[in-house]
Amino acid sequence: MSELIKDGLRIDGRKPDELRPIKIEAGVLYRADGSCYLEWGGNKVLAAVYGPREAIPRHIQDPTKALVNARYNMASFSVKERKRPGPDRRSTEISKVTSEALENVIFTELFPRTTIDVNIEVLDAEAGTRCAGITAAAVALADAGIPMRDIPVACAAGKVDGVVVLDLSAEEDQQGDADLPIAISPRSEEILLLQMDGHLTYKEFEEALELALKGAKYVSKLQKEALMKKYKG
Ligand code: CDP
């Protein structure tokens, strides 16, 4: 049996409730309306936002609101086993749940007949890329000046060797018991995304949710610092 926790510490030396190091930079791309580069442990993610702009072809337009179109893409060189380029089931699923999470905080009704395109490119992957992608996309949306109820943020918790832990690493994701990524609106604590891989008891689920919420609130501060750095200098 693999030993993922030894003397109360994880393989990478973290305590159960510790996040991996995170670095966020807003406004890194010249042509995008808003952008963000984010590093989260071994993940490197770029998010670029375009719009609101006229939805084309016209038959996809919604006369009552903007369409939020997130596209999650993993570079073929971002993982150990070269990934075949282009969309697959996994990226289609992540794009869908990301679009829905973001749509819930954007004032889409202000921009009828338009699309807001959110491109998420994973350049390096080390577990937790959907959380990293949503967190970067949220900063890119704010950088683009898209009106939102709040700046969404994502974080995962899970279970390894029977212990509830925050922010799984790749080894923990592969060999652990469960992974619970969430996205929230940090002010209201409204849940925008909740997925679960593996098994948790109800008590463990509550514990993991609490931990993921705590992690997300911390990451939310880093998002705001990155935006302040760009706009306040
Ligand atoms: O990345 P996230 O945890 O949101 O999603 P996942 O489907 O649970 O994938 C976990 C990890 O598996 C990814 O972050 C990658 O490090 C790895 N992975 C991979 O090595 N090759 C793939 N084709 C897909 C994922």
Side-chain angles (χ1 to χ4, degrees):
M1 201 194 112
S2 67
E3 225 179 301
L4 293 169
I5 298 199
K6 224 175 162 182
D7 302 328
L9 292 181
R10 297 151 73 176
I11 289 185
D12 55 13
R14 282 185 291 156
K15 295 190 198 99
D17 64 350
E18 216 174 309
L19 285 164
R20 291 173 288 179
I22 299 174
K23 213 173 84 183
I24 307 179
E25 198 179 340
V28 291
L29 299 175
Y30 179 68
R31 304 212 184 272
D33 293 317
S35 58
C36 173
Y37 173 67
L38 179 145
E39 290 181 2
W40 186 327
N43 294 311
K44 293 193 176 76
V45 176
L46 202 51
V49 167
Y50 298 85
R53 57 187 177 185
E54 188 187 4
I56 294 171
R58 285 177 73 171
H59 70 82
I60 67 163
Q61 293 182 356
D62 185 328
T64 65
K65 62 181 171 73
L67 306 169
V68 178
N69 177 30
R71 190 180 139 276
Y72 166 102
N73 182 53
M74 210 171 211
S76 46
F77 51 80
S78 69
V79 283
K80 221 170 175 183
E81 296 265 322
R82 180 184 180 274
K83 188 201 159 285
R84 214 170 143 225
D88 53 20
R89 279 175 64 108
R90 181 176 169 276
S91 62
T92 304
E93 172 217 320
I94 298 178
S95 299
K96 180 178 185 289
V97 294
T98 300
S99 300
E100 288 167 359
L102 300 174
E103 193 184 353
N104 270 300
V105 288
I106 298 173
F107 287 105
T108 52
E109 61 278 14
L110 297 178
F111 308 103
R113 303 187 190 283
T114 67
T115 57
I116 297 168
D117 295 312
V118 183
N119 294 269
I120 297 165
E121 298 290 334
V122 178
L123 307 174
D124 248 332
E126 196 234 324
T129 58
R130 77 195 63 208
C131 291
I134 291 171
T135 302
V139 172
L141 283 164
D143 182 44
I146 308 277
M148 292 186 280
R149 275 175 263 282
D150 197 358
I151 300 171
V153 62
C155 188
K159 184 169 96 164
V160 298
D161 283 359
V163 180
V164 171
V165 298
L166 184 62
D167 186 27
L168 270 60
S169 68
E171 274 159 319
E172 292 172 337
D173 183 89
Q174 283 158 20
Q175 300 166 40
D177 311 319
D179 185 19
L180 180 85
I182 63 164
I184 60 162
S185 166
R187 251 187 305 162
S188 63
E189 291 193 9
E190 184 191 349
I191 295 201
L192 305 167
L193 169 141
L194 190 154
Q195 297 185 291
M196 190 166 111
D197 229 1
H199 296 280
L200 292 174
T201 63
Y202 186 69
K203 195 168 158 281
E204 286 166 346
F205 171 80
E206 282 191 318
E207 208 185 313
L209 187 59
E210 196 55 43
L211 200 53
L213 271 170
K214 229 172 87 184
K217 287 197 162 180
Y218 176 76
V219 181
S220 164
K221 283 194 205 141
L222 303 182
Q223 286 176 308
K224 283 169 191 152
E225 276 170 26
L227 286 161
M228 294 282 259
K229 192 167 171 211
K230 182 180 173 200
Y231 289 97
K232 272 193 161 173

